[in-house]
């Protein structure tokens, strides 16, 4: 009798565990976890626990297209250095964090998009008129955030002899620029425009853009179907005028000349 009773108890416990697991899985499907930046004005900035900015607006639009309401989104802070690991470890379902599409990154994650094509530029102190182009950075200290290839584009790809200084994020780069530790900060013009607008009179963009940065929606490897759904959302977002409105909301009060043309979407792998 005890053996039969024990078996029933074990069976009941197993059934309860299975039910709990099914409930947990069901709960997971009721939310979507999205990684965005929390420290980039105009793109992804934490304001009282809720991120705001262009990337956040695009992410919300895509989530709604996928069937999620705004209150079903779980936001996570995605720094440049942890974007791949977040997707590989299942910390988030997708990332929109000025995440440029590159062949190197495609080896470990999938991308939908691009949803926007930015260009690279340079930010200096407001009173520094010596730096107008990448060539002027020769022999100077240049800052870029960990996990970003912006500074490498200048030093490695363009062969300019700048001294690289890596910071944890672009907020730290701005601190180094303010105290004179670095001569300039380089990254996408969208990012630099947001910081310049947040600190009027302190910094100057050269407004001499170069290169191209295709912002993609980062996805776990093997997300072909989800990629296609997101590309549909991106096309619709540009067609119905939402993308242009998001750009105006983010950068309309700055002198940043943002692109308003629909980007050419890459095929989903």
């Amino acid at each position: 009798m005890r053996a039969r009773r024990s078996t029933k108890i074990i069976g009941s416990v197993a059934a309860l565990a299975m039910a709990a697991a099914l409930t947990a899985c069901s709960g997971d499907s009721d939310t979507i976890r999205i990684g965005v930046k929390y420290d980039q004005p105009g793109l992804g900035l934490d304001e009282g626990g809720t991120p705001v900015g262009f990337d956040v607006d695009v992410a919300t639009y895509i989530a709604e297209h996928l069937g999620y309401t705004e209150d079903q989104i779980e936001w996570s802070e995605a720094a440049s250095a942890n974007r791949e690991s977040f997707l590989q470890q299942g910390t988030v379902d997708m990332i929109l964090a000025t995440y440029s599409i590159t062949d190197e990154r495609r080896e470990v994650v999938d991308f939908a998009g691009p949803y926007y094509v930015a260009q690279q530029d340079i930010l200096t102190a407001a009173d520094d008129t010596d730096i107008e182009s990448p060539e002027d950075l020769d022999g100077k200290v240049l800052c870029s955030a960990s996990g970003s290839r912006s500074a490498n584009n200048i030093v490695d790809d363009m062969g300019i002899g700048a001294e690289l200084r890596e910071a944890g994020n672009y907020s730290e780069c701005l601190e180094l620029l303010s105290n004179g530790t670095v001569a300039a900060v380089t990254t996408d013009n969208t990012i630099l425009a947001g910081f310049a607008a947040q600190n009027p009179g302190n910094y100057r963009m050269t407004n001499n853009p170069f290169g191209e940065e295709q912002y993609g929606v980062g996805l776990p490897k093997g997300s072909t179907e989800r990629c296609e759904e997101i590309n549909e959302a991106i096309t619709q977002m540009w067609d119905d005028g939402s993308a242009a409105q998001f750009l105006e909301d983010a950068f309309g009060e700055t002198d940043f000349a943002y692109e308003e043309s629909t980007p050419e979407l890459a095929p989903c792998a």
Side-chain angles (χ1 to χ4, degrees):
M1 289 294 292
R2 287 180 182 172
R4 285 196 296 271
R5 215 161 148 194
S6 175
T7 301
K8 287 180 180 179
I9 291 172
I10 293 170
S12 298
V13 170
L16 287 170
M18 183 176 292
L22 290 171
T23 300
C25 290
S26 173
D28 288 345
S29 66
D30 290 337
T31 60
I32 185 167
R33 301 162 300 164
I34 304 178
V36 295
K37 293 288 182 69
Y38 276 24
D39 68 332
Q40 290 183 349
L43 291 157
L45 184 67
D46 182 14
E47 290 191 351
T50 302
V52 297
F54 176 67
D55 281 355
V56 178
D57 289 340
V58 173
T60 302
Y61 186 100
I62 290 172
E64 290 177 349
H65 181 86
L66 297 176
Y68 298 91
T69 60
E70 191 169 347
D71 60 2
Q72 289 178 304
I73 300 173
E74 294 182 6
W75 300 107
S76 293
E77 181 177 9
S80 295
N82 65 20
R83 291 176 295 199
E84 283 83 22
S85 62
F86 269 24
L87 291 170
Q88 291 173 316
Q89 296 167 8
T91 304
V92 296
D93 299 306
M94 65 178 66
I95 287 179
L96 290 90
T98 58
Y99 201 5
S100 297
I101 300 171
T102 67
D103 290 339
E104 182 181 6
R105 288 169 177 165
R106 280 189 181 277
E107 293 180 3
V108 292
V109 300
D110 282 353
F111 283 103
Y115 59 89
Y116 185 74
V117 179
Q119 291 181 288
Q120 190 170 339
D121 211 327
I122 299 167
L123 190 76
T124 70
D127 58 356
D128 184 347
T129 58
D130 293 333
I131 299 173
E132 297 294 344
S133 69
E135 290 74 17
D136 296 329
L137 294 168
D138 188 55
K140 294 183 171 61
V141 183
L142 176 65
C143 187
S144 190
S146 175
S148 170
R149 279 199 50 81
S150 295
N152 299 86
N153 291 343
I154 292 175
V155 175
D156 298 334
D157 300 343
M158 301 175 73
I160 295 169
E163 179 185 341
L164 295 188
R165 173 67 181 265
E166 189 176 273
N169 53 47
Y170 286 109
S171 294
E172 292 181 18
C173 277
L174 266 290
E175 291 179 13
L176 296 174
L177 181 59
S178 295
N179 63 32
T181 302
V182 303
V185 179
T186 187
T187 187
D188 307 348
N189 50 8
T190 50
I191 299 172
L192 298 180
F195 281 118
Q198 192 183 47
N199 302 272
N202 293 342
Y203 307 113
R204 179 184 67 89
M205 283 182 66
T206 63
N207 280 316
N208 187 17
F210 53 96
E212 186 176 272
E213 300 294 337
Q214 297 185 343
Y215 289 171
V217 180
L219 299 167
K221 201 68 177 170
S223 302
T224 303
E225 184 176 346
R226 174 56 61 86
C227 171
E228 292 171 347
E229 293 174 333
I230 292 173
N231 278 353
E232 290 175 1
I234 292 170
T235 300
Q236 178 180 302
M237 179 182 71
W238 282 95
D239 288 347
D240 67 19
S242 296
Q245 185 59 56
F246 297 156
L247 287 165
E248 176 65 22
D249 293 343
F251 302 110
E253 296 183 1
T254 74
D255 59 358
F256 168 52
Y258 49 82
E259 292 288 335
E260 291 191 39
S261 56
T262 306
E264 182 179 350
L265 301 182
C268 297

